[in-house]
Amino acid sequence: MTLLRIAIAGLGIALALMCVWAGMNGHFLNEFGIVGGLAWGKVSLADLYIGFALLAVPIALTENVKLSAPIIIALFLLGNIVGAFWLAWRLPKLVRLLTQDRPA
């Protein structure tokens, strides 16, 4: 499981580095406006935010409100970077919760 957690965190780091690269080489508002104006751009953005909402469910169910609220807000503002690091951090807890009532 340690290797999987490292891989997930590595993907979060890769995404963060891609965001830094894009910030240095593109213009967010201009490019976002172009993507948002395209039919598949709208679908991709809907898919992205639906994914955030779906990931918010296990976060809300496994964390107390004082911790889950800031994580979920950060997820919607910063994206899957937050989701990757939360998943890498909480993977052992999630596995325990998902397997505790499993029939033998």
Side-chain angles (χ1 to χ4, degrees), residues 5 9 11 19 24-25 29 31 34-35 40 56-57 65 73 80 86:
R5 292 174 73 195
L11 290 171
C19 289
M24 294 171 62
N25 292 291
L29 292 178
E31 294 177 18
I34 292 168
V35 170
W40 280 107
V57 172
V65 174
I73 291 167
N80 285 315
W86 178 83

Side-chain angles (χ1 to χ4, degrees), residues 15-38:
L15 184 55
L17 292 172
M18 289 177 67
C19 289
V20 170
W21 170 82
M24 294 171 62
N25 292 291
H27 190 277
F28 179 79
L29 292 178
N30 289 346
E31 294 177 18
F32 187 81
I34 292 168
V35 170
L38 302 171

Side-chain angles (χ1 to χ4, degrees), residues 32-92:
F32 187 81
I34 292 168
V35 170
L38 302 171
W40 280 107
K42 290 180 176 93
V43 170
S44 296
L45 289 171
D47 178 58
L48 181 70
Y49 280 91
I50 289 168
F52 295 163
L54 293 173
L55 183 56
V57 172
I59 294 171
L61 292 175
T62 58
E63 306 292 351
N64 66 53
V65 174
K66 288 183 180 179
L67 183 58
S68 66
I71 292 171
I72 291 169
I73 291 167
L75 176 67
F76 276 87
L77 294 175
L78 302 173
N80 285 315
I81 296 167
V82 173
F85 287 116
W86 178 83
L87 185 58
W89 174 46
R90 285 305 202 190
L91 190 60

Side-chain angles (χ1 to χ4, degrees), residues 61-62 92-104:
L61 292 175
T62 58
K93 180 179 182 178
L94 293 172
V95 169
R96 275 193 313 277
L97 289 170
L98 291 171
T99 59
Q100 69 185 5
D101 292 329
R102 182 190 251 169

